[in-house]
Amino acid sequence: NKGYILRKTLLAVLVVAFPMVASGQTSQCLFTPEELGATFGVRFASGVEGKDRLKNGFCDYAVIGGPRPARVQVRIESRMNAERFAQLRKMRVMVTGKEYDLPGVGDGAFSNGGMYAALKGAKSVEIGGFRTATQRVIPREEGIKLLKLALERI
């Protein structure tokens, strides 16, 4: 049947041309360099997507003119649940020994001072680099504002 073959061909073209849309994935690069610059007070390069050794996606925004590894990193996990998110929270809190609940931001939203994370349905978003991207202390309200923006975009 020609209609069936045409539909299959069109689907194959869409999967090749738009793999993220076809697979239901979200771009990890949620912010513009200007949005990050307004929060951190430094200039950023455009985000660059990558994958870690476990094949989890991330987006790195390097600080322009900053020492390596001065950057902000965004991670979106598409297959998250409350139990796994609680484990992520424990691991992140162990890094700094600090834990801040962020009520009204997103499900289970928290910060350890260096990163901000929240759960939205089956997706989590984590924004790191709040202590390494710049010399200045970023007020918690600014981190919350960025996290809320990320949650709107996933």
Side-chain angles (χ1 to χ4, degrees), residues 30-91:
L30 299 177
F31 305 113
T32 66
E34 294 77 21
E35 289 170 329
L36 291 176
T39 298
F40 289 89
V42 294
R43 291 184 40 229
F44 286 90
S46 294
V48 177
E49 290 196 45
K51 293 199 182 283
D52 64 19
R53 68 183 184 284
L54 299 174
K55 306 276 190 246
N56 294 314
F58 62 84
C59 182
D60 274 338
Y61 297 89
V63 173
I64 295 174
R68 287 185 60 121
R71 66 187 169 114
V72 167
Q73 188 174 82
V74 176
R75 291 180 170 275
I76 300 168
E77 174 66 47
S78 318
R79 296 173 305 267
M80 185 61 75
N81 60 38
E83 183 180 328
R84 288 185 57 222
F85 191 73
Q87 292 171 345
L88 171 75
R89 182 177 182 142
K90 283 181 186 177
M91 289 187 311

Side-chain angles (χ1 to χ4, degrees), residues 116-150:
Y116 288 74
L119 188 61
K120 180 180 178 182
K123 292 183 179 182
S124 68
V125 64
E126 180 179 354
I127 308 166
F130 282 84
R131 290 197 327 242
T132 58
T134 182
Q135 299 275 329
R136 76 180 188 95
V137 175
I138 307 299
R140 194 169 307 144
E141 298 78 31
E142 291 295 312
I144 290 170
K145 184 177 168 185
L146 209 54
L147 183 58
K148 284 181 175 180
L149 183 59

